[in-house]
Amino acid sequence: MRSLIKLSLRIFICLIIVSCSGEKEADKYKIGFSQAMTTDNWRKEMNKSMRVEASMHPDLELEIKDAGNHIAKQITQIDDFIQEKVDVLIVSPIQSIPITPVIEKAMNAGIPVIVIDRKIEGRNFTAYVGANNIEIGRNAAKYIISHSENEATIIEITGQEGSSPAHERSIGFKNTLDSVPELQITYSIKGDWEKASIKDRLSSLLDTVKTPDYIFCHNDRMAMGAWEVARSKSLEDDIKIIGVDGLFGPNGGIQMVKDGLLDATLLYPTGGAEAIKMASDLIQGENINKYNILRTVVIDSVNVDIMQNQFDKMNQQQNDIEQQQAVIDEQIETYNSQSALIRIMIVLLLLLLFLTGWSIYLVVRIKKSKRELEINNKKIIVQRNQIENFAEKLKVSNESKINFFTALSHEFKTPLTLITSSIESIADRPNKELKGISHETNLIINNSRRLLRLINELLDFRKLENGTYNIKPVKTRIVPFLKNIVDDFRSEAVKRSVKLNFCPGNEDMEVYIDRDMMDKVFFNILSNAFKFTPKNGNILVAVNESENEVSIIFKDSGIGIPKEEFKRIFDPYMQGSNNLKPSSGLGLFISKQFVELHEGSISVSSHQGAEFKISIPKGKAHFKDVDVSEIETDFQSSTSYKLPETIPAEEPGNVALDKNAETVLIIEDNTDLSYVLKKKLSTDYHVYLSDGTDGIEKALEIIPDVIICDLNLPTKNGFEICGELKSDLRTSHIPTIILTALDDKESRLKALKAGADTYITKPFNYEILRESLKSALYNREKLRYYYTNRIDEVKDEHFENAEQNFLKDLNAFIDENLRDPDFSVEELAGKLNISRVQLYRKVKALLGISISEYISAQRLNKARNLLQQSDMNISEIAYEVGYSSPGYFSTSFKNKYGISPKQLKS
Ligand code: FRU
């Protein structure tokens, strides 16, 4: 859904962009105009006419740069237009020579250049537009000629030197007057197109010379200056002044003619509109003329009115055009904004349509999903009801089962207590009566108590689960209380060679505890410590005190607990990954609950062993709604939590047995069970014990006839031990009986995969174990028979069975060395990579005879074949089978076969 919203938003933004981009005007052609200056009206008129014309061409964009009559500035501005790559460049040069190179540069850059009004040097430009200034000079001269009857003197006031109009106007003027000797240019003043440049000089000239008849000024502005000077000298009626430009409007040449200030003016059109038209033509790719000469005309009193009228009309039209243009521009703008608005509206409309469609689709979909959901909901409700019913039934049945087991557990307590107390009273009798059974009574007491403890644990767990455990705190001196418990473990510590240290701290420290609970907690933690601390390890119990609490620390040097299990270790049924020993998994859970009922805490850490810390708050304020007893009575911990008096567990000795009796290795960490097994099996077998820590080493050392192995063992488990023994040539032949509490299919399968021969689960029937032992040995006997009687067949085959392969290798080595009388058992063992003793035991186990007997049998067997099948004499045969003395060979042969070699040969 979110992605769909994102998508539609993106579409919307794209549409808006597209619709707005429609507003962007198409790229326009750029015309750059470099204007020489804009100080006078003639130039302003030129710019205006250009702008008006450009506005008629919507595809054109005009930019005017004003050089302010500075040559360097004009060059820079033209350069900028070149950089900009304008489409057409129009230049009105200030002067010809300095501006020529930069115009050539533009031409070289491929930009067409239109030169307007003033010219440049040479012809390297695209087009020129302007009036013929020679003709203007000529027309001025002609005007004077036609209006003079006699001689007349003339002063010429020229435009700026270096600009083409000034130069050309002068040429045209002079050349024409040259043909009329009566008319003389008596003086020439060099102006710069502005009146200020000539007024002083003209004034002083008029003071010194005869008043001229005519003054020809190269433009109207200087002509105005001349008139002002003449007037100042009251000569205005005596001097006829002629100007150039003929601008329309106030202060323009036409107005001056009309006002009688000037005699005449020569119309000098700006050519602005024409230049833009030509630029447009160039852009359109049309051909244009290189020289576009504008028409000029003399305006004097005769035609000034007509001219003014015409200009008036033109001006009127120009203004109309400008107004219309403004209206058009406004309309275009309105059109543009409206069309943008319409586009946006269309987009919005489309979006609206899309969203409407989408909403309809969503509504339909939601309705459909709702229907499906309702159906599913109904199904779920039905299922939930069924589950609830089922759960209710299950709860009831579970509850009744748990109640049944709880009741049963309670029931167990009585007979177990009876058994314990009865056997304790038996154990208390004078020692002589118990001679021989003291250890068994101890076993019974020990295990009955263990059972009782487990049952109590179960009942405590149940009570805690139901929340029916009531705490009964009693004021207690914690150190003596704890010492009692620690002391109970002293004999256990001695038996296991574990160093048990108690650091009591302040003996008078008092806390309020439920003694029964804390007795169980401390016992549990301490017995765990013993469970996981190896021989010669350390256990430390310490009591520390702070302002608000008392902490009891139990630290052992056992295998420790992985960090990730610190929290879970207190969960019910939790079995630590390091803990291979059988356990209910309730002890630590119950301990934690008990400590928490005291508002205390229990935590574990592990660094070279495990460390449990129990903290109990001082005082009694934390016990709310609980009766607290202040009377410190003696505390007797319950018998089930007492460790039994340890009667030294002498290992039952092996009774006198036939030295050929088979050997059994029992790998079992429960010393009680291994004690019982050894005692029972010792009547028939040589029994060896391993607590699991050295099972493989013992098996390799003894090479027993049978191995009985537990699965849950401290260092390596039974699967690993069995697997290793079965894959070792030295022990692979030994039948292995697994004796375990694990009754699941997976464990059975795993054990069989590891090579176990028999799998018996605890509790087991001793007779079954005995029979299993017998049948394992009998099977081995059968194999032995097979190997000894079909030994020749073992030669060339490839066997899956490790034993057969072993025999094949053995026979091959013996065969290879049969001729060597010094071939020893050591050498043979070396070749087979096992020790002499292991070879002896393996061969004995597999074949029932010693290895040396086997080698001899092989020698004599071969000798018998040779006697029967070869022509060799007896001595030769004796040497062939490795006898150094033929006599000794004959004796040995007769001993084995009851017939001498000689007799057999004949
Ligand atoms: C304007 C002007 C005109 C003159 C022209 C010659 O700046 O001085 O009066 O006719 O330039 O280029």
Side-chain angles (χ1 to χ4, degrees):
M1 181 69 101
R2 281 178 73 186
S3 61
L4 207 59
I5 293 169
K6 270 188 193 165
L7 180 75
S8 42
L9 243 154
R10 268 190 210 148
I11 294 172
F12 175 68
I13 290 166
C14 286
L15 289 171
I16 294 278
I17 290 169
V18 168
S19 63
C20 292
S21 66
E23 294 311 302
K24 202 186 158 210
E25 287 177 36
D27 279 347
K28 286 188 168 188
Y29 295 103
K30 171 125 190 215
I31 298 172
F33 172 43
S34 168
Q35 175 61 288
M37 69 217 79
T38 332
T39 40
D40 58 88
N41 287 341
W42 189 85
R43 298 277 164 184
K44 284 178 186 153
E45 180 58 32
M46 184 194 267
N47 291 358
K48 187 178 164 192
S49 60
M50 276 192 175
R51 284 205 181 92
V52 170
E53 184 59 37
S55 68
M56 313 272 196
H57 301 263
D59 58 333
L60 298 184
E61 183 199 333
L62 172 69
E63 190 191 351
I64 301 176
K65 285 187 201 274
D66 178 3
N69 210 16
H70 292 294
I71 291 169
K73 193 172 179 186
Q74 187 164 41
I75 294 170
T76 313
Q77 287 176 342
I78 294 171
D79 245 336
D80 290 346
F81 280 136
I82 297 171
Q83 297 300 320
E84 260 186 74
K85 294 195 172 80
V86 292
D87 296 286
V88 178
L89 178 64
I90 303 174
V91 181
S92 177
I94 299 169
Q95 284 185 19
S96 306
I97 297 171
I99 303 301
T100 303
V102 72
I103 287 179
E104 283 176 348
K105 187 179 172 188
M107 289 293 287
N108 292 340
I111 300 171
V113 182
I114 298 171
V115 177
I116 186 167
D117 163 37
R118 300 180 190 176
K119 289 180 180 165
I120 59 159
E121 295 294 304
R123 289 171 53 85
N124 197 3
F125 51 87
T126 311
Y128 169 79
V129 61
N132 183 342
N133 280 304
I134 293 181
E135 194 185 335
I136 284 177
R138 207 185 290 146
N139 285 350
K142 280 182 187 168
Y143 180 83
I144 293 172
I145 294 166
S146 63
H147 285 79
S148 317
E149 291 155 11
N150 301 315
E151 289 180 351
T153 52
I154 304 162
I155 292 176
E156 184 187 12
I157 297 177
T158 62
Q160 192 186 40
E161 203 174 12
S163 69
S164 64
H167 178 65
E168 288 174 355
R169 285 173 195 177
S170 227
I171 289 175
F173 188 62
K174 278 180 184 150
N175 286 351
T176 312
L177 284 181
D178 276 351
S179 57
V180 186
E182 295 84 27
L183 300 179
Q184 268 184 32
I185 303 170
T186 46
Y187 294 101
S188 184
I189 297 174
K190 285 182 183 168
D192 69 355
W193 303 108
E194 304 307 324
K195 64 180 178 187
S197 64
I198 53 108
K199 269 176 97 171
D200 290 347
R201 275 181 287 160
L202 179 63
S203 174
S204 30
L205 189 68
L206 290 181
D207 288 343
T208 50
V209 299
K210 184 184 162 249
T211 304
D213 299 299
Y214 286 97
I215 297 178
F216 170 48
C217 298
H218 280 193
N219 70 3
D220 289 339
R221 296 196 303 286
M222 291 190 297
M224 172 64 114
W227 180 82
E228 283 168 3
V229 173
R231 184 176 177 168
S232 67
K233 299 186 186 297
S234 302
L235 295 172
E236 72 266 29
D237 294 332
D238 304 330
I239 304 170
K240 296 183 180 81
I241 303 170
I242 299 164
V244 179
D245 282 350
L247 264 187
F248 173 74
N251 300 328
I254 293 176
Q255 190 61 45
M256 287 201 283
V257 172
K258 197 162 181 207
D259 294 344
L261 270 60
L262 300 188
D263 229 40
T265 180
L266 286 120
L267 180 70
Y268 184 62
T270 62
E274 288 77 2
I276 295 296
K277 273 184 203 142
M278 282 161 63
S280 171
D281 288 349
L282 275 173
I283 286 164
Q284 301 306 322
E286 284 174 27
N287 286 330
I288 56 164
N289 295 327
K290 185 146 184 144
Y291 290 98
N292 301 274
I293 305 305
L294 304 171
R295 286 187 56 199
T296 176
V297 65
V298 180
I299 303 167
D300 61 2
S301 53
V302 179
N303 64 357
V304 71
D305 286 331
I306 301 165
M307 290 303 281
Q308 197 170 33
N309 278 346
Q310 272 186 355
F311 273 113
D312 249 344
K313 274 185 194 156
M314 265 173 60
N315 213 33
Q316 194 63 45
Q317 279 171 356
Q318 182 108 344
N319 285 343
D320 287 353
I321 290 171
E322 272 174 38
Q323 270 176 14
Q324 278 170 7
Q325 191 62 43
V327 172
I328 289 170
D329 284 350
E330 210 171 288
Q331 280 176 349
I332 287 174
E333 208 164 297
T334 318
Y335 165 80
N336 282 342
S337 61
Q338 279 179 354
S339 71
L341 208 68
I342 288 172
R343 278 200 202 96
I344 291 173
M345 276 169 69
I346 290 172
V347 170
L348 287 174
L349 201 74
L350 285 175
L351 195 74
L352 199 74
L353 277 174
F354 169 72
L355 288 175
T356 316
W358 187 30
S359 311
I360 293 169
Y361 164 75
L362 284 181
V363 168
V364 172
R365 235 181 69 172
I366 288 168
K367 269 190 184 166
K368 201 178 152 200
S369 322
K370 209 177 137 193
R371 262 203 311 278
E372 282 171 3
L373 260 177
E374 275 169 6
I375 296 169
N376 273 349
N377 257 1
K378 273 181 196 155
K379 274 188 200 164
I380 288 168
I381 289 170
V382 172
Q383 280 172 359
R384 196 192 62 194
N385 289 343
Q386 284 174 348
I387 290 169
E388 272 176 6
N389 280 341
F390 186 67
E392 192 53 38
K393 279 182 196 161
L394 206 71
K395 198 177 153 197
V396 171
S397 105
N398 217 18
E399 201 58 32
S400 48
K401 267 186 207 160
I402 289 175
N403 287 342
F404 167 72
F405 284 119
T406 312
L408 208 65
S409 305
H410 275 294
E411 288 299 310
F412 281 149
K413 278 179 82 173
T414 320
L416 267 172
T417 317
L418 281 172
I419 293 170
T420 319
S421 53
S422 311
I423 198 70
E424 276 171 359
S425 56
I426 293 173
D428 283 346
R429 287 191 198 161
N431 265 355
K432 59 177 177 175
E433 280 182 52
L434 290 171
K435 207 170 178 223
I437 59 161
S438 58
H439 193 72
E440 278 80 352
T441 49
N442 203 35
L443 268 183
I444 299 169
I445 295 170
N446 202 0
N447 285 288
S448 310
R449 283 179 182 167
R450 187 156 178 254
L451 267 180
L452 211 51
R453 216 164 42 235
L454 285 171
I455 287 168
N456 279 334
E457 233 169 47
L458 262 180
L459 294 170
D460 285 348
F461 177 64
R462 182 77 184 128
K463 267 184 168 172
L464 281 167
E465 250 197 342
N466 288 345
T468 54
Y469 222 117
N470 292 325
I471 183 165
K472 294 184 197 98
V474 178
K475 190 187 206 177
T476 307
R477 282 163 65 224
I478 188 75
V479 172
F481 176 79
L482 190 62
K483 186 171 181 297
N484 251 338
I485 300 168
V486 173
D487 284 345
D488 282 344
F489 281 88
R490 292 271 174 219
S491 51
E492 183 73 5
V494 173
K495 198 171 106 190
R496 290 175 181 250
S497 311
V498 166
K499 218 165 150 198
L500 175 59
N501 287 323
F502 182 48
C503 298
N506 175 8
E507 291 269 342
D508 297 325
M509 212 184 295
E510 282 180 339
V511 278
Y512 288 84
I513 54 169
D514 183 316
R515 293 179 180 179
D516 185 48
M517 281 189 197
M518 291 319 283
D519 181 50
K520 286 173 182 172
V521 172
F522 295 151
F523 182 91
N524 186 277
I525 308 276
L526 212 44
S527 35
N528 272 351
F530 270 93
K531 208 158 141 190
F532 296 112
T533 303
K535 218 174 171 183
N536 300 322
N538 293 306
I539 295 175
L540 169 75
V541 180
V543 185
N544 293 330
E545 186 183 11
S546 72
E547 199 187 339
N548 299 320
E549 60 180 25
V550 172
S551 311
I552 302 106
I553 289 153
F554 298 87
K555 183 166 172 39
D556 67 55
S557 61
I559 43 173
I561 299 162
K563 206 171 175 184
E564 57 277 11
E565 288 177 14
F566 283 0
K567 273 208 173 124
R568 286 190 293 131
I569 204 86
F570 298 105
D571 290 352
Y573 321 117
M574 169 67 188
Q575 201 89 27
S577 61
N578 277 350
N579 181 7
L580 295 170
K581 309 197 175 185
S583 136
S584 67
L586 294 179
L588 284 176
F589 169 73
I590 292 171
S591 300
K592 185 166 189 252
Q593 301 289 315
F594 281 173
V595 171
E596 282 174 358
L597 281 172
H598 286 81
E599 301 295 323
S601 64
I602 179 165
S603 61
V604 66
S605 57
S606 187
H607 175 65
Q608 293 172 348
E611 181 178 317
F612 284 86
K613 182 178 172 187
I614 296 169
S615 302
I616 304 164
K618 279 183 172 177
K620 54 186 177 180
H622 51 283
F623 292 115
K624 309 243 156 49
D625 309 323
V626 174
D627 286 338
V628 179
S629 169
E630 296 289 346
I631 308 143
E632 195 177 336
T633 49
D634 277 350
F635 176 74
Q636 199 61 51
S637 71
S638 88
T639 44
S640 61
Y641 282 82
K642 272 264 182 260
L643 284 168
E645 291 285 314
T646 317
I647 298 169
E650 327 144 8
E651 264 200 14
N654 285 332
V655 286
L657 275 177
D658 178 355
K659 77 170 170 48
N660 288 329
E662 280 95 349
T663 49
V664 177
L665 170 64
I666 301 170
I667 307 174
E668 168 65 67
D669 67 333
N670 184 316
T671 45
D672 292 346
L673 181 60
S674 45
Y675 170 86
V676 171
L677 281 176
K678 179 163 184 179
K679 188 155 190 188
K680 291 208 173 219
L681 292 173
S682 293
T683 49
D684 299 313
Y685 305 102
H686 294 289
V687 180
Y688 295 91
L689 296 182
S690 159
D691 63 359
T693 52
D694 56 354
I696 292 173
E697 292 74 10
K698 281 236 165 106
L700 285 171
E701 181 196 323
I702 301 160
I703 311 284
D705 292 295
V706 187
I707 294 172
I708 298 172
C709 186
D710 188 10
L711 284 181
N712 282 337
L713 291 167
T715 34
K716 265 185 188 157
N717 63 40
F719 301 115
E720 291 169 303
I721 295 178
C722 183
E724 278 186 36
L725 291 177
K726 284 293 180 180
S727 54
D728 191 318
L729 184 68
R730 297 165 290 181
T731 48
S732 56
H733 63 281
I734 305 171
T736 306
I737 296 170
I738 296 291
L739 192 59
T740 174
L742 301 178
D743 197 11
D744 55 305
K745 213 171 88 186
E746 288 74 29
S747 302
R748 278 174 191 276
L749 208 70
K750 212 169 155 188
L752 287 177
K753 279 189 182 160
D757 297 82
T758 312
Y759 195 94
I760 299 173
T761 53
K762 294 174 188 171
F764 61 93
N765 180 303
Y766 177 68
E767 279 316 309
I768 290 180
L769 176 67
R770 203 183 179 84
E771 280 314 307
S772 301
L773 265 174
K774 270 190 190 166
S775 82
L777 289 166
Y778 176 68
N779 284 340
R780 215 195 55 185
E781 197 58 45
K782 276 205 297 191
L783 262 181
R784 187 183 291 165
Y785 179 81
Y786 168 81
Y787 291 139
T788 39
N789 288 286
R790 300 178 65 195
I791 201 71
D792 291 337
E793 292 169 32
V794 167
K795 256 182 192 165
D796 303 319
E797 295 169 43
H798 174 74
F799 297 99
E800 283 301 311
N801 183 314
E803 309 328 322
Q804 287 171 330
N805 276 329
F806 167 75
L807 286 175
K808 198 181 125 192
D809 291 344
L810 179 74
N811 286 347
F813 286 133
I814 295 175
D815 222 30
E816 273 170 31
N817 297 286
L818 213 55
R819 294 196 59 178
D820 179 2
D822 299 327
F823 182 58
S824 65
V825 174
E826 280 81 2
E827 253 177 90
L828 186 57
K831 282 187 190 283
L832 289 162
N833 264 338
I834 53 177
S835 77
R836 195 182 60 82
V837 177
Q838 283 163 342
L839 176 62
Y840 174 81
R841 292 195 178 149
K842 176 123 191 157
V843 169
K844 185 86 179 155
L846 282 177
L847 304 170
I849 51 174
S850 74
I851 180 66
S852 45
E853 280 171 337
Y854 184 66
I855 296 172
S856 299
Q858 289 295 84
R859 289 186 199 283
L860 294 174
N861 193 30
K862 180 151 192 200
R864 191 180 63 182
N865 289 344
L866 291 174
L867 284 167
Q868 286 171 336
Q869 290 158 15
S870 77
D871 297 334
M872 294 162 85
N873 65 34
I874 291 171
S875 301
E876 283 169 342
I877 291 173
Y879 294 126
E880 183 63 24
V881 298
Y883 279 87
S884 45
S885 143
Y888 180 55
F889 164 65
S890 296
T891 315
S892 304
F893 194 87
K894 189 159 185 190
N895 282 348
K896 180 159 171 72
Y897 296 111
I899 181 172
S900 73
K902 210 173 183 176
Q903 285 168 313
L904 187 69
K905 183 101 182 142
S906 55

